[in-house]
């Protein structure tokens, strides 16, 4: 699997969510980089977040973010 720049941007946004609380959302402001704004929209289109500018993770988004966080913990050995 090739990681495109778009996919990297989406992963980066998903990793910014605080997984310790379902009440913690993420707002991608219109002044954010065009890549971040576009990534938030793609995550919304994929059903991973509940607003086009981020918002809260959906059940599917929470599952994806949990897997990403777990993978990063396993790959980043301290």
């Amino acid at each position: 699997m090739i990681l495109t720049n778009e996919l990297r941007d989406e992963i980066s946004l998903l990793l910014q969510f605080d997984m310790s609380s379902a009440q913690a959302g993420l707002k991608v402001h219109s002044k954010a980089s065009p890549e971040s704004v576009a990534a938030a929209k793609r995550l919304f289109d994929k059903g991973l977040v509940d607003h086009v500018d981020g918002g809260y993770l959906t059940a599917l988004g929470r599952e994806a973010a949990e897997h990403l966080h777990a993978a990063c913990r396993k790959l980043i050995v301290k």
Side-chain angles (χ1 to χ4, degrees), residues 16-57:
Q16 292 179 46
F17 279 91
D18 179 1
M19 301 309 294
S20 66
S21 171
Q23 300 302 315
L26 186 70
K27 169 76 170 162
V28 179
H29 293 274
S30 59
K31 293 180 182 179
S33 72
E35 294 83 9
S36 294
V37 172
K41 170 135 179 24
R42 287 191 303 274
L43 290 176
F44 174 76
D45 292 342
K46 293 176 180 181
L48 299 177
V49 294
D50 67 352
H51 285 88
V52 71
D53 62 354
Y56 296 98
L57 292 169

